[in-house]
Amino acid sequence: MEEKNSIVGNKPGLNPMLLGGLVLLVIIVVGGVYISLQRNSGEEKMDDAEKAAPAVMQVVPSSSPSSVMKAESATKSFVLETGSFYFTPDKISVKKGDTVKLTVTNKGGMHKFVIDEFQVKTLLPTGKPTEITFVADKVGTFEFYCAIGQHRVMGQKGTLVIE
Ligand SMILES: [Cu+2]
């Protein structure tokens, strides 16, 4: 009994260990594949977004598609004057997708040009034109204003209409 046991314990004893190891490997590999598959399907949007960013950066310098897209939208330029406490003109209308280029000259006083919805926030040095460019990527009526003190309430504001 002891001999048989030892034989049984020795010879097949290696095989179960090997088998066990193989089974473990298979479980790890299969499990890994499953997990990666689940991650892929689950994070598809994330992956796309992550891939899209570098792809765009690579594509932009040499691509014709992006220039075609740019050709569809226009750059709309406006010359504005501002001071205490006004913007002239105080209404700007563009089309959705337009690139809006504002040249704002501060005639006097400390003023800022702000459009919250487009992350525009620029200090306007006195006496020289300041260029502000952003893409009108959403439809709506937005306010541009000066963020210094009470200037906005005192009338230093205007309307941006995007159709
Ligand atoms: Cu101001």
Side-chain angles (χ1 to χ4, degrees):
M1 285 298 280
E2 282 180 2
E3 279 182 1
K4 276 184 182 174
N5 276 343
S6 65
I7 287 164
V8 169
N10 278 339
K11 266 198 171 178
L14 286 171
N15 283 337
M17 281 190 72
L18 280 172
L19 278 172
L22 281 170
V23 167
L24 265 177
L25 269 174
V26 168
I27 288 169
I28 288 165
V29 169
V30 170
V33 169
Y34 263 108
I35 286 166
S36 67
L37 279 174
Q38 281 173 348
R39 278 186 183 166
N40 280 344
S41 61
E43 297 176 0
E44 224 165 7
K45 285 174 187 174
M46 290 282 291
D47 284 354
D48 285 348
E50 283 168 7
K51 283 172 190 166
V56 165
M57 288 183 74
Q58 288 170 352
V59 164
V60 162
S62 61
S63 76
S64 50
S66 73
S67 57
V68 167
M69 284 178 71
K70 277 178 187 172
E72 289 172 357
S73 61
T75 297
K76 300 280 175 65
S77 298
F78 299 89
V79 177
L80 286 82
E81 263 183 37
T82 190
S84 304
F85 300 95
Y86 65 92
F87 283 102
T88 309
D90 63 358
K91 186 171 181 183
I92 296 169
S93 296
V94 299
K95 294 256 162 61
K96 187 188 173 188
D98 285 347
T99 296
V100 182
K101 184 180 158 191
L102 307 176
T103 305
V104 186
T105 300
N106 177 4
K107 292 292 186 179
M110 189 181 177
H111 302 293
K112 250 182 197 176
F113 188 94
V114 178
I115 312 176
D116 292 323
E117 293 84 353
F118 296 92
Q119 287 76 50
V120 172
K121 198 171 197 174
T122 308
L123 192 65
L124 302 168
T126 308
K128 52 183 173 182
T130 301
E131 275 195 9
I132 297 158
T133 304
F134 62 95
V135 176
D137 56 3
K138 50 196 161 205
V139 169
T141 301
F142 310 94
E143 190 168 85
F144 57 87
Y145 64 94
C146 173
I148 304 286
Q150 298 298 307
H151 297 191
R152 182 185 195 174
V153 177
M154 295 164 90
Q156 199 177 6
K157 61 187 179 182
T159 306
L160 166 68
V161 178
I162 303 172
E163 293 170 319

